[in-house]
Amino acid sequence: AFEYAPAPESRSIVDIKPSYGLFIDGEFVDGRGTSFKTVNPATEETLAEIAEASDADVDLAVRAARRAFRGWSRMSGKERAKYLFRIARIIQERARELAVLESIDNGKPIKESRDVDVPVVAAHFFYYAGWADKLEHAGLGPDPQPLGVAGQVIPWNFPLLMLAWKVAPALACGNTVVLKPAETTPLTALLFAEICQQADLPPGVVNIVTGAGSTGQAVVSHPDVDKVAFTGSTAVGKAIARAIAGTDKKATLELGGKAANIVFDDAPIDQAVEGIVGGIFFNQGHVCCAGSRLLVQESVADEVLGRLKRRMGTLRVGDPLDKNTDIGAINSAEQLARIRELSDIGEAEGAERWAPACDLPSSGFWFPPTVFTGVTQAHRIAREEVFGPVLSVLTFRTPAEAIEKANNTPYGLSAGVWTEKGSRILHMASQLRAGVVWANTFNKFDPASPFGGYKESGYGREGGRQGLAAYLKGADA
Ligand code: NAD
């Protein structure tokens, strides 16, 4: 137990309205459908009433995007860049407000939204602003042309960052956008809509339609949507792939993961333990590329586990707006139930569960940092995505065994390797079936680095030059 320091970032710096409409054609408008509540997961208080976009609302948004496409796609890249640079600068100017709002709506610690999410969001807009007038030099064909209207559906774990990954490259290439944020985290997307107004972005270039899965379905299956960009669960990704099969919509799917974080006996152990902790407990483990399976070489397993548990004992779980908080609130009651269920199954199947003693707040959704040892490949906890602060530990003897275990998953989004040997890093990177392999680090993101999966983690790449290909005709990265 410990006393929380007074929250340095107060809720008073954000202006949360009692209710929000949809952002269509440059204006906030009332939806024609019903509404739903978005809740602060750290307190369970209702933050605002949000419009649930109906099929008719989605149709209006797509029509607005289509009208805007004519002007936006013909505008010079240099002009489009000016708008993207302007948006990036406003994001920097309003960074504190965005970070606080993200932490309130999502539950993530303020030090993460302030130091990771929002700066990386701004970096994405700066990066793709830089490409807008250089598309013909991207190696994606001599006369790159935009696709048209992009329908984008995003999850709740990095609400603003996933928006940036989708909106920035789409706009840079001359597309217009209809974006649906996740139902538990709509507020920063709506603040982003305000930022679009502040930047004088032409009406209809960005449209934000809030709602649940049915709104997402209406967006991706609308006949006038040319491109579908989805980030979320593998189950929904598959449903979307089926829904758009047989159409000429271009699609990118960024789906789930079950990353292996592999620690060899020559690794710098303290650094590796920090990487393991960051790999799984960053953002409460609500990370598609979370290092949720620790593969540790048998000869150092006891030492690594001992140090890991000591380090876990120092993690602070609690108020997301307290700058000392390491682990914030679980995003929703549903997600908490899923984490509890899979953890209970882990125990029932014979794995050993450990969590440090920690005082959890009495209201809100919370789960302590948890590690399972004695885990085998057969355990569900080793195979399924928990999407929470839960680490499964497996051991290996040889590099070949580590590769076999790491690849023994339907997913293939990311992996981490900890070793002093450069040749081993290169060997492992070539053998691991994962879109990203980090060496002696984990969860590092840069707008210039492409990100995406193998196997059931999806297809297509976001970020970097490759991220442009997803929004241009005939381009393949
Ligand atoms: P989810 O699939 O339940 O929802 C994602 C979004 O899809 C939400 O906006 C939701 O409303 C919408 N949706 C639901 N059903 C739909 C349908 N039938 N058609 C269209 N849209 C629909 O996922 P989630 O719980 O919000 O997010 C967690 C998942 O996202 C995890 O599996 C995680 O690994 C994955 N994720 C992947 C990446 C990546 O880059 N690969 C990044 C972040 C999260």
Side-chain angles (χ1 to χ4, degrees):
F2 61 93
E3 293 297 316
Y4 290 127
E9 291 290 6
S10 113
R11 175 183 167 151
S12 63
I13 73 160
V14 293
D15 170 27
I16 303 179
K17 300 177 185 70
S19 64
Y20 288 84
L22 309 167
F23 185 66
I24 298 178
D25 213 9
E27 300 289 338
F28 283 95
V29 296
D30 290 339
R32 298 179 185 184
T34 54
S35 65
F36 62 98
K37 292 179 192 334
T38 184
V39 167
N40 179 340
T43 60
E44 297 177 59
E45 83 177 294
T46 295
L47 293 168
E49 196 72 35
I50 309 290
E52 168 111 35
S54 65
D55 289 5
D57 294 319
V58 169
D59 188 52
L60 279 180
V62 174
R63 282 166 193 263
R66 176 61 60 192
R67 281 193 304 277
F69 178 67
R70 287 187 209 114
W72 185 251
S73 59
R74 287 181 199 153
M75 192 182 274
S76 70
K78 206 166 91 187
E79 280 295 302
R80 284 201 304 272
K82 276 193 204 163
Y83 285 104
L84 288 167
F85 278 124
R86 207 179 285 163
I87 290 173
R89 279 195 300 271
I90 300 174
I91 289 169
Q92 286 184 318
E93 282 158 20
R94 300 183 70 172
R96 279 184 71 207
E97 198 184 338
L98 287 162
V100 170
L101 191 61
E102 194 77 308
S103 281
I104 291 174
D105 205 17
N106 168 280
K108 64 176 72 204
I110 187 72
K111 69 177 173 193
E112 292 180 6
S113 45
R114 184 196 60 195
D115 299 344
V116 184
D117 297 55
V118 176
V120 182
V121 166
H124 252 81
F125 279 95
F126 278 116
Y127 177 80
Y128 281 108
W131 270 117
D133 61 353
K134 302 174 194 70
L135 295 174
E136 66 276 24
H137 304 297
L140 299 167
D143 182 26
Q145 294 298 319
L147 296 167
V149 176
Q152 308 182 322
V153 178
I154 56 171
W156 44 263
N157 57 342
F158 292 95
L160 203 52
L161 186 57
M162 291 300 103
L163 174 149
W165 280 22
K166 303 244 171 323
V167 172
L171 265 45
C173 293
N175 304 274
T176 56
V177 161
V178 176
L179 176 131
K180 192 201 85 70
E183 49 272 48
T184 57
T185 53
L187 291 182
T188 45
L190 293 165
L191 182 50
F192 177 78
E194 245 181 78
I195 289 174
C196 292
Q197 285 180 323
Q198 200 183 336
D200 283 328
L201 192 71
V205 170
V206 168
N207 303 274
I208 310 277
V209 289
T210 43
S214 53
T215 304
Q217 229 169 339
V219 170
V220 299
S221 51
H222 193 289
D224 208 26
V225 161
D226 305 288
K227 150 85 189 179
V228 170
F230 172 75
T231 295
S233 61
T234 295
V236 173
K238 285 182 181 179
I240 290 176
R242 281 193 294 272
I244 62 173
T247 70
D248 65 351
K249 293 179 201 292
K250 194 164 171 171
T252 38
L253 302 177
E254 300 279 2
L255 310 178
K258 191 75 191 174
N261 208 353
I262 307 167
V263 178
F264 285 96
D265 59 5
D266 68 331
I269 300 287
D270 282 333
Q271 198 185 325
V273 167
E274 282 309 304
I276 296 163
V277 166
I280 184 63
F281 301 124
F282 172 64
N283 203 36
Q284 297 72 246
H286 300 327
V287 184
C288 50
C289 49
S292 54
R293 290 183 298 152
L294 169 63
L295 300 188
V296 57
Q297 201 154 19
E298 237 173 53
S299 48
V300 287
D302 287 346
E303 187 187 353
V304 169
L305 264 174
R307 290 204 210 183
L308 173 65
K309 287 180 175 176
R310 275 201 297 284
R311 180 69 180 88
M312 283 170 66
T314 68
L315 295 173
R316 293 178 168 209
V317 187
D319 182 2
L321 291 185
D322 183 333
K323 71 170 194 276
N324 295 314
T325 292
D326 299 300
I327 299 183
I330 300 301
N331 179 252
S332 66
E334 293 71 33
Q335 188 57 30
L336 179 59
R338 162 101 183 136
I339 297 168
R340 283 186 175 148
E341 185 195 354
L342 269 171
S343 300
D344 291 347
I345 290 171
E347 241 176 333
E349 288 184 343
E352 193 180 319
R353 175 179 184 158
W354 185 87
C358 71
D359 276 347
L360 299 177
S362 52
S363 59
F365 315 126
W366 307 95
F367 200 85
T370 299
V371 59
F372 278 91
T373 49
V375 179
T376 72
Q377 298 277 75
H379 290 146
R380 279 180 63 184
I381 201 127
R383 299 199 315 265
E384 295 179 30
E385 190 180 35
V386 181
F387 221 57
V390 178
L391 177 68
S392 293
V393 183
L394 296 96
T395 57
F396 67 91
R397 287 187 185 160
T398 63
E401 194 186 341
I403 291 164
E404 190 278 320
K405 285 187 168 164
N407 287 339
N408 187 356
T409 164
Y411 297 112
L413 195 54
S414 66
V417 178
W418 298 83
T419 173
E420 294 281 22
K421 274 194 192 150
S423 58
R424 182 173 281 160
I425 292 171
L426 294 176
H427 174 68
M428 294 298 288
S430 73
Q431 299 299 307
L432 291 168
R433 299 273 299 151
V436 181
V437 179
W438 284 293
N440 296 327
T441 187
F442 208 90
N443 275 342
K444 279 273 184 292
F445 304 99
D446 188 283
S449 298
F451 184 90
Y454 282 58
K455 302 193 276 186
E456 294 200 6
S457 291
Y459 46 78
R461 294 291 178 264
E462 289 184 320
R465 185 188 66 83
Q466 291 85 341
L468 297 166
Y471 289 97
L472 292 171
K473 275 188 189 151
D476 226 346

